């Protein structure tokens, strides 16, 4: 009996020691795993106990097969302790798990002495913390569409057949604007090339604009940035090939690349060892790609192909005037269709659209009906709802006037069911843009030259401070909302004098709602009785 009591006491002490170790690190060591288990399986099995920062399944370097052990790191150590208590000696995919606290790797006495003799400086500690944080996926302050300026210059020189000295002529009054517009053009070409390669450009744009969910990052795809124009896919494959890659996507502009790894563990090793490594004449910037980066959203293979839902940007701009797009109507994902035949039904109209719409989805087709002689008959109009504003815009421009049951469709936008959010600064698209982070050395003339290629300007206001220096922001007013939208989309990742322009929709001071609000405020102010001063 005494021996059993001693054993029980020893087990209790060991259990308490294990719990204390876990509360210090928040990391678990799991062994006796099935060799077919993946990191996603472990994430699903352990996540009910708390948010997990990292799951590392140990693989054999040569065979890339699981060794049956893994490390799991929780954000909150108490959650790790709870998971160890519940899941230790529990069954997982037919095997009995053994969950232990993960202990830090012990260093040799020689290394300890060297470390103690050479204490780390504060700068070195911060640098190591930053690199460890970025390797873990914390890249909130990064621009996912960042591109080197000299790479942009090389692309522009190749595109237009001019020299760098001609492009950046010192005697010219707009070299910064030339470089900014060149960057805008290169960014557009890069997006188009990535889209043709099967990359979800919309997801990349969302992260570049700071609207993406930073937790929704890929585990095995890395963005490689700060590449020189002389980069080649062969050289990148040689650099990253030792970690086990599946493929490399390098657009012709050579501004950035996507490296797809076979296993998440290989990607983590690559981002730890290759981050800031010197390549040619500059360090590599590595960032975890969005989780849905390889969802297929391809563009037409050639510009000559006039598909119903296709067309390039120039063709779209021309169609605005051909189909009489009202510039004051805010685009939405719902279209109002008129001139329908009374014989047309919901099913026949939807069948007609599905045969012609190549991109996007049709959410609903509703023909409005009224009662006549005891029967529901068509009113000759209805509503079409799509999955996005882009799909609705494409249908509006490309299916305008197509025939259904002998009647030409007439389409226009409706604002009643708008679901897509726009910018943080305003609730809806306006003709006026609020441009932030403008460099102080930029002039009003340069801002006009930067925004004029996207449409006719109604006005530009560039405020100054009391001491005569510009305030660092500007307001650009276009003639139409479509022109303002084009400028915002094109310049969202552009730099001027090295500073990233932050563009939002400004409030429309001339809108009817704003005029009513000002009138109401003025009426309330005049209606308030003034107090008379009483003599003391």
């Amino acid at each position: 009996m005494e021996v059993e009591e001693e054993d029980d006491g020893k087990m209790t002490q060991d259990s308490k020691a294990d719990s204390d170790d876990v509360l210090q690190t928040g990391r678990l060591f799991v062994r006796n795993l099935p060799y077919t288990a993946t990191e996603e399986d472990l994430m699903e099995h352990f996540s009910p106990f708390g948010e997990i920062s990292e799951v590392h399944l140990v693989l054999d370097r040569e065979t890339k097969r699981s060794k049956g052990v893994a490390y799991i790191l929780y954000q909150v150590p108490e959650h790790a302790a709870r998971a160890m208590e519940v899941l230790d000696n529990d069954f997982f995919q037919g095997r009995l798990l053994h969950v232990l606290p993960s202990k830090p790797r012990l260093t040799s006495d020689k290394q300890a002495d060297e470390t103690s003799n050479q204490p780390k400086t504060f700068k070195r500690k911060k640098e190591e913390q930053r690199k460890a944080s970025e390797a873990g996926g914390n890249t909130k302050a990064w621009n996912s569409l960042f591109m080197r300026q000299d790479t942009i210059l090389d692309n522009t020189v190749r595109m237009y057949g001019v020299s760098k000295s001609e492009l950046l002529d010192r005697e010219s009054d707009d070299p910064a604007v030339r470089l900014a517009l060149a960057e805008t053009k290169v960014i557009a070409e890069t997006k188009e090339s990535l889209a043709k390669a099967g990359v979800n450009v919309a997801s990349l744009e969302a992260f570049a604009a700071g609207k993406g969910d930073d937790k929704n990052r890929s585990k095995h795809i890395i963005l490689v940035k700060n590449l020189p124009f002389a980069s080649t896919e062969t050289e990148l494959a040689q650099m990253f090939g030792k970690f086990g890659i599946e493929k490399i996507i390098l657009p012709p502009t050579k501004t950035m690349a996507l490296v797809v790894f076979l296993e998440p563990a290989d990607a983590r090793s690559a981002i730890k060892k290759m981050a800031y490594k010197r390549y040619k004449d500059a360090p590599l910037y590595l960032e975890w790609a969005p989780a849905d980066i390889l969802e297929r959203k391809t563009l037409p293979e050639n510009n000559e192909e006039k598909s119903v839902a296709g067309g390039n940007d120039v063709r779209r701009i021309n169609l605005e005037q051909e189909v009489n797009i009202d510039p004051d109507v805010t685009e939405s994902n719902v279209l109002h269709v008129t001139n329908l035949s009374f014989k047309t039904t919901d099913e026949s109209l939807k069948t007609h659209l599905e045969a012609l719409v190549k991109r996007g989805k049709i959410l609903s087709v509703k023909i409005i009906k009224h009662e006549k002689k005891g029967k529901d008959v068509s009113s000759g109009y209805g509503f079409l709802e799509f999955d996005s504003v882009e799909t609705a815009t494409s249908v509006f421009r490309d299916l305008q006037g197509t025939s259904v049951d002998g009647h030409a469709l007439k389409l226009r936008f409706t604002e009643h069911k708008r679901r897509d959010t726009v910018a943080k600064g305003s609730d809806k698209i306006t003709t006026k843009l609020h441009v932030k982070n403008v460099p102080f050395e930029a002039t009003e003339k340069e801002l006009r030259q930067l925004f004029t290629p996207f449409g006719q300007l109604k006005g530009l206001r560039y405020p100054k401070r009391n001491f005569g220096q510009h305030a660092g922001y500007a307001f650009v007013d276009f003639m139409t909302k479509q022109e303002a939208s084009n400028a915002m989309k094109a310049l969202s990742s552009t730099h001027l004098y090295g500073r990233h322009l932050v563009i939002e929709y400004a409030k429309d001071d001339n809108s009817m709602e704003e005029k009513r609000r000002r009138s109401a405020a003025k009426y309330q102010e005049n209606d308030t009785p003034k107090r008379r001063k009483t003599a003391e």
Side-chain angles (χ1 to χ4, degrees):
M1 293 293 292
E2 293 180 358
V3 175
E4 292 180 358
E5 291 178 358
E6 290 179 359
D7 293 340
D8 293 341
K10 187 176 181 180
M11 291 176 62
T12 303
Q13 292 178 358
D14 293 341
S15 177
K16 185 177 180 181
D18 291 344
S19 180
D20 293 340
D21 291 339
V22 172
L23 291 176
Q24 290 180 0
T25 63
R27 199 176 189 205
L28 300 177
F29 173 65
V30 186
R31 66 186 186 188
N32 199 35
L33 289 169
Y35 295 112
T36 57
T38 63
E39 291 186 353
E40 289 75 14
D41 297 334
L42 293 175
M43 179 73 76
E44 183 179 355
H45 191 66
F46 282 83
S47 58
F49 300 93
E51 193 165 355
I52 297 175
S53 298
E54 181 184 357
V55 175
H56 175 51
L57 184 65
V58 181
L59 303 177
D60 185 87
R61 291 186 178 181
E62 295 182 358
T63 63
K64 301 298 181 183
R65 293 187 59 187
S66 170
K67 290 187 176 182
V69 296
Y71 295 91
I72 298 177
L73 178 62
Y74 282 87
Q75 289 189 0
V76 180
E78 286 77 8
H79 296 163
R82 176 61 178 165
M84 183 181 68
E85 179 184 351
V86 175
L87 298 180
D88 189 23
N89 294 323
D90 190 26
F91 284 97
F92 173 67
Q93 295 184 359
R95 302 194 74 167
L96 195 65
L97 292 183
H98 194 187
V99 184
L100 300 171
S102 175
K103 298 180 180 180
R105 183 179 298 176
L106 298 177
T107 59
S108 62
D109 295 338
K110 183 178 180 181
Q111 290 175 332
D113 293 339
E114 291 178 355
T115 305
S116 60
N117 293 334
Q118 298 178 357
K120 297 179 180 179
T121 63
F122 177 77
K123 183 178 180 180
R124 185 178 176 185
K125 288 181 180 179
K126 295 294 290 183
E127 184 73 12
E128 291 180 354
Q129 290 176 1
R130 180 178 62 83
K131 288 186 177 182
S133 177
E134 290 173 356
N138 183 14
T139 53
K140 294 181 180 178
W142 286 31
N143 180 8
S144 297
L145 290 173
F146 170 80
M147 300 175 185
R148 282 180 59 170
Q149 295 298 315
D150 58 342
T151 305
I152 293 171
L153 276 175
D154 290 330
N155 273 282
T156 307
V157 168
R158 172 185 59 86
M159 189 186 311
Y160 296 105
V162 297
S163 64
K164 291 184 180 180
S165 59
E166 292 175 338
L167 185 63
L168 300 178
D169 187 4
R170 290 185 177 181
E171 297 181 359
S172 65
D173 56 352
D174 60 346
V177 176
R178 292 184 184 183
L179 187 58
L181 292 175
E183 181 184 14
T184 304
K185 178 66 175 177
V186 172
I187 290 174
E189 284 191 357
T190 302
K191 290 179 181 179
E192 184 177 359
S193 300
L194 291 175
K196 288 182 179 179
V199 176
N200 185 0
V201 177
S203 178
L204 202 60
E205 290 175 336
F207 274 86
K211 300 178 182 178
D213 185 4
D214 207 58
K215 297 179 182 179
N216 190 24
R217 296 274 187 173
S218 174
K219 302 295 183 183
H220 66 286
I221 304 176
I222 293 177
L223 292 175
V224 184
K225 299 179 292 184
N226 202 37
L227 292 174
F229 186 70
S231 304
T232 63
E233 188 172 336
T234 303
E235 292 177 348
L236 293 177
Q238 291 176 352
M239 293 177 60
F240 290 94
K242 58 185 177 181
F243 299 101
I245 61 174
E246 180 179 341
K247 65 177 178 177
I248 293 178
I249 301 175
L250 180 66
T253 55
K254 311 291 183 66
T255 52
M256 62 187 302
L258 269 74
V259 182
V260 184
F261 292 85
L262 294 171
E263 298 292 342
D266 298 333
R268 285 195 297 269
S269 299
I271 204 169
K272 289 178 181 178
K273 295 180 181 180
M274 301 297 293
Y276 303 104
K277 185 175 181 179
R278 190 176 185 84
Y279 174 56
K280 295 189 182 296
D281 59 346
L284 294 177
Y285 297 160
L286 304 185
E287 177 185 357
W288 291 110
D292 56 349
I293 190 69
L294 288 184
E295 280 190 1
R296 196 147 192 69
K297 291 188 178 181
T298 58
L299 294 177
E301 290 298 327
N302 56 66
N303 293 331
E304 297 178 358
E305 188 177 355
K306 301 293 183 177
S307 61
V308 178
N312 54 31
D313 293 338
V314 176
R315 178 170 172 263
R316 288 178 181 274
I317 294 173
N318 293 335
L319 278 172
E320 287 183 5
Q321 301 179 4
E322 291 179 10
V323 298
N324 296 323
I325 294 180
D326 185 359
D328 294 326
V329 175
T330 304
E331 294 180 352
S332 70
N333 63 329
V334 179
L335 294 179
H336 182 214
V337 54
T338 59
N339 197 37
L340 292 174
S341 170
F342 295 125
K343 299 179 181 179
T344 303
T345 62
D346 295 349
E347 292 75 15
S348 62
L349 181 58
K350 188 173 183 179
T351 302
H352 170 77
L353 296 173
E354 288 177 343
L356 298 177
V357 176
K358 303 301 181 183
R359 288 184 297 169
K361 296 181 180 179
I362 304 170
L363 299 182
S364 66
V365 175
K366 179 66 175 178
I367 295 178
I368 304 303
K369 298 179 181 179
H370 65 278
E371 187 174 349
K372 184 177 181 180
K373 297 181 180 181
K375 296 182 180 181
D376 291 335
V377 297
S378 171
S379 299
Y381 69 94
F383 296 93
L384 313 174
E385 184 176 7
F386 300 91
D387 60 341
S388 66
V389 175
E390 288 73 18
T391 305
T393 305
S394 177
V395 171
F396 176 82
R397 292 187 170 107
D398 297 317
L399 302 189
Q400 189 76 245
T402 56
S403 178
V404 179
D405 294 331
H407 286 237
L409 297 182
K410 293 183 179 180
L411 304 173
R412 65 180 178 86
F413 284 99
T414 176
E415 301 182 26
H416 299 301
K417 294 186 178 181
R418 179 171 178 83
R419 295 184 177 181
D420 288 57
T421 58
V422 287
K424 297 179 181 178
S426 175
D427 295 333
K428 62 180 181 179
I429 298 176
T430 64
T431 60
K432 185 183 291 186
L433 298 179
H434 185 193
V435 187
K436 303 179 182 178
N437 202 34
V438 179
F440 298 119
E441 56 266 43
T443 63
E444 181 176 339
K445 181 180 179 181
E446 289 176 327
L447 290 178
R448 286 186 178 275
Q449 291 174 336
L450 181 62
F451 285 91
T452 299
F454 303 98
Q456 186 177 355
L457 298 186
K458 189 190 303 182
L460 189 148
R461 189 162 64 90
Y462 194 16
K464 291 185 178 181
R465 301 186 187 276
N466 296 332
F467 44 86
Q469 188 182 28
H470 290 292
Y473 64 91
F475 295 93
V476 183
D477 197 0
F478 286 88
M479 294 296 294
T480 67
K481 295 179 181 180
Q482 187 62 43
E483 292 173 345
S485 178
N486 293 339
M488 182 173 179
K489 291 178 181 178
L491 299 174
S492 59
S493 297
T494 299
H495 294 72
L496 182 64
Y497 284 107
R499 300 190 70 171
H500 179 210
L501 297 179
V502 180
I503 305 176
E504 299 176 352
Y505 289 108
K507 292 183 179 179
D508 189 0
D509 297 333
N510 296 323
S511 65
M512 187 60 65
E513 295 179 0
E514 188 65 19
K515 290 179 180 178
R516 289 172 179 170
R517 188 191 64 79
R518 290 200 299 264
S519 299
K522 186 176 181 180
Y523 176 78
Q524 292 176 359
E525 182 180 352
N526 295 334
D527 195 47
T528 304
K530 297 182 180 179
R531 295 182 179 180
R532 295 181 179 179
K533 293 183 179 180
T534 56
E536 295 182 357

